[in-house]
């Protein structure tokens, strides 16, 4: 089993965000989660990514239970991606040894190659403080390339194409579909139409997760 969640709850102060959720995801499954803004989708995703620790219940991802171990098994693309004040290449590799072939495969999948080829310093181009030298769409595609290059068994996508135009978003989703084959993919969105190719889709409402499709 890739992800095993039992009786998970999480609150911010007096506000209960996640209420007694249990979820079992087999390796290689593609799961979609929909819900309104503020319903707790991103909180659930951060718990699955090992960025938050459960307040009650537990999460196991690829056999790992401790957040620092869970993080090794997960690649994540958030709605508002964080870029480091470094080069495009460094933002993709995050200091880990990654072959040039894999970097370019990730860039191709995220539809970055044409833009990178137009830059004087190519992959060594500086993205600026907090990505100030790139557009929102470019920043999101760099984050997607980072997730692909990490080659983790679990990929979490939090509104991963929200900053992209319709044509680019469709192309990136198609590339992710092929390059994430055999991996466990969890995608969250507030729009059902973006959750294509999922084995199951759940709705998060009132802190509870229920089967939608």
């Amino acid at each position: 089993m890739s992800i095993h969640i039992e009786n998970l709850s999480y609150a911010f102060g007096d506000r209960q965000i996640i209420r007694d959720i249990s979820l079992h995801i087999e390796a290689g499954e593609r799961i979609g989660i929909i819900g309104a803004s503020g319903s707790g989708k991103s909180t659930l995703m951060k718990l699955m990514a090992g960025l938050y620790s459960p307040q009650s219940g537990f999460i196991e991802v690829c056999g790992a239970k401790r957040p620092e171990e869970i993080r090794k098994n997960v690649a994540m693309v958030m709605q508002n991606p964080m870029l480091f004040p470094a080069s495009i290449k460094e933002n993709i590799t995050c200091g880990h040894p990654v072959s040039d072939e894999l970097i370019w495969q990730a860039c191709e999948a995220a539809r970055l190659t044409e833009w990178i080829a137009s830059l004087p310093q190519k992959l060594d181009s500086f993205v600026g403080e907090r990505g100030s030298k790139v557009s929102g769409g470019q920043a999101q595609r760099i984050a997607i390339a980072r997730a692909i290059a990490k080659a983790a068994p679990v990929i979490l996508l939090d509104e991963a194409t929200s900053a992209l135009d319709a044509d680019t978003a469709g192309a990136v989703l198609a590339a992710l579909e092929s390059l994430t084959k055999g991996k466990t993919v969890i995608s969250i969105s507030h729009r059902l139409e973006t959750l294509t190719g999922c084995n199951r889709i759940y709705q998060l409402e009132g802190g509870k997760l229920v089967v939608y499709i």
Side-chain angles (χ1 to χ4, degrees):
M1 184 172 295
S2 188
I3 298 176
H4 182 201
I5 299 174
E6 284 289 347
N7 306 121
L8 178 68
S9 294
Y10 196 88
F12 290 112
D14 294 332
R15 185 184 174 209
Q16 194 71 39
I17 306 297
I18 303 298
R19 300 175 183 271
D20 198 32
I21 284 178
S22 294
L23 179 63
H24 311 289
I25 301 172
E26 297 293 338
E29 281 195 301
R30 294 171 179 263
I31 303 299
I33 299 174
I34 61 170
S37 178
S39 62
K41 300 188 306 297
S42 293
T43 298
L44 179 59
M45 191 71 86
K46 288 176 181 177
L47 284 159
M48 286 193 281
L51 299 178
Y52 292 169
S53 297
Q55 294 170 339
S56 65
F58 78 91
I59 296 177
E60 182 178 314
V61 179
C62 299
K65 297 180 180 179
R66 294 186 299 173
E68 61 269 23
E69 295 299 322
I70 288 174
R71 289 193 290 270
K72 296 177 183 178
N73 293 314
V74 173
M76 188 175 188
V77 180
M78 298 293 294
Q79 183 175 3
N80 299 305
M82 181 187 73
L83 297 186
F84 307 107
S87 68
I88 295 170
K89 182 176 182 178
E90 289 167 326
N91 268 281
I92 292 172
T93 65
C94 294
H96 301 296
V98 181
S99 69
D100 287 346
E101 181 182 4
L102 182 54
I103 291 172
W104 281 113
Q105 284 178 357
C107 290
E108 177 65 28
R111 297 302 188 262
L112 282 169
T113 49
E114 184 176 346
W115 169 62
I116 291 173
S118 72
L119 301 173
Q121 293 181 286
K122 307 297 189 282
L123 280 170
D124 293 322
S125 299
F126 184 59
V127 303
E129 295 291 333
R130 299 183 180 180
S132 60
K133 292 184 178 293
V134 300
S135 70
Q138 289 162 346
Q140 197 123 6
R141 281 179 279 173
I142 290 171
I144 290 170
R146 177 194 297 163
I148 295 168
K150 186 176 180 181
V154 176
I155 297 178
L156 306 180
L157 305 175
D158 182 357
E159 304 278 7
T161 59
S162 63
L164 308 180
D165 60 67
D167 289 340
T168 305
V172 169
L173 285 171
L176 284 171
E177 176 72 23
S178 62
L179 288 175
T180 58
K181 186 176 181 180
K183 296 187 178 182
T184 306
V185 181
I186 298 93
S187 302
I188 70 172
S189 179
H190 64 279
R191 294 179 299 155
L192 182 62
E193 61 269 22
T194 65
L195 299 176
T196 58
C198 291
N199 299 104
R200 287 172 283 147
I201 296 179
Y202 295 88
Q203 182 168 11
L204 185 59
E205 186 175 8
K208 292 283 190 177
L209 201 61
V210 296
V211 176
Y212 188 82
I213 295 178

